[in-house]
Amino acid sequence: TVLPAIKMAAAEAVAKKRGKVSSAMPVGSEVSFTTVLGTKLRGNVVATDESAECLVIKDAARSVHIVNLKHVSELNVLSRPSPSAKPPSLPPVDLHKVETRIGRRISERKRAIRRLGVNVSKEAQMLFDFIVKTYDDTEWQGDAIVVLGEVMVSPPYTVQSCSNVRKANSSDALECIKKIVSKFHLERSPAPLS
C-alpha cells in the first residue's frame, strides 16, 4: 500500500525511536530523497547498514546507489512492504567460482610478495619491476635479479653487471636483458639541457 510521504525528520524520529534505520525504511520500501548537493533519486530499498546509517537503493534503471543518510536533506518514504511480504530472495552463489576467485587472488598476492626484494635499494626494485613488464619469469635471488632462470643482474644493477647464470646459457637472452637494463637507466637519467 502507498503511504503518505514521510519527511526526513519523521523518518529519523521513527528510526531513533525504534533504534534502527531498517525499521523506518525496511527492505522493499520505496523512497525518494534529495541529497545536500541537490541530487534527487527514487528507488527501492534493497539493504540497510545500521552502523553507517546507509541505505542501498535500486532505481528504476536497476542502478544501485549507496546513500549515506547523513548527506540527505529530504527523505520521503513512499510505500512500505506489507508485513506479510517476504523479502526478495538473493540470487544463488556459485561457490566454485568464489573458491576459484579466492585461489587466484591468493596466488596473485603470493607472487606480488615474492617480487619484493629484501634489503634492496628503491632503484633496484624499480629495475626489477621494469624487467617484469617484459619478462614475467623474473625473481630475486638474494640481492640479484634473475630473469628466465638464465640471466642475472647483480648490484650495482648496470649493463656491465648482467651475466649468464650458467656458461651454457644463450647469449641472446643476455643481450635482451642488457638492452632492458640500458633502457631503464636511460629513462631514469635526466634529459640533457638544450
Side-chain angles (χ1 to χ4, degrees), residues 61-82:
R62 302 190 54 79
S63 296
V64 176
H65 306 272
I66 300 174
V67 181
N68 185 333
L69 293 175
K70 295 173 188 169
H71 300 131
V72 171
S73 60
E74 183 181 340
L75 174 69
N76 298 308
V77 178
L78 304 174
S79 67
R80 297 175 193 253
S82 68

Side-chain angles (χ1 to χ4, degrees), residues 9 23 47 75 78 80 91 94 97 102-103 115 118 125 127 142 158 191:
S23 61
L75 174 69
L78 304 174
R80 297 175 193 253
D94 184 343
K97 281 185 178 178
I102 289 170
R115 288 183 171 175
V118 178
Q125 185 64 53
L127 173 61
T158 61

Side-chain angles (χ1 to χ4, degrees), residues 105-118 125 128 140:
R105 295 288 185 256
I106 290 171
S107 295
E108 289 170 1
R109 296 292 182 224
K110 285 180 179 179
R111 188 169 60 233
I113 289 169
R114 284 193 307 270
R115 288 183 171 175
L116 293 176
V118 178
Q125 185 64 53
F128 181 93
W140 287 102

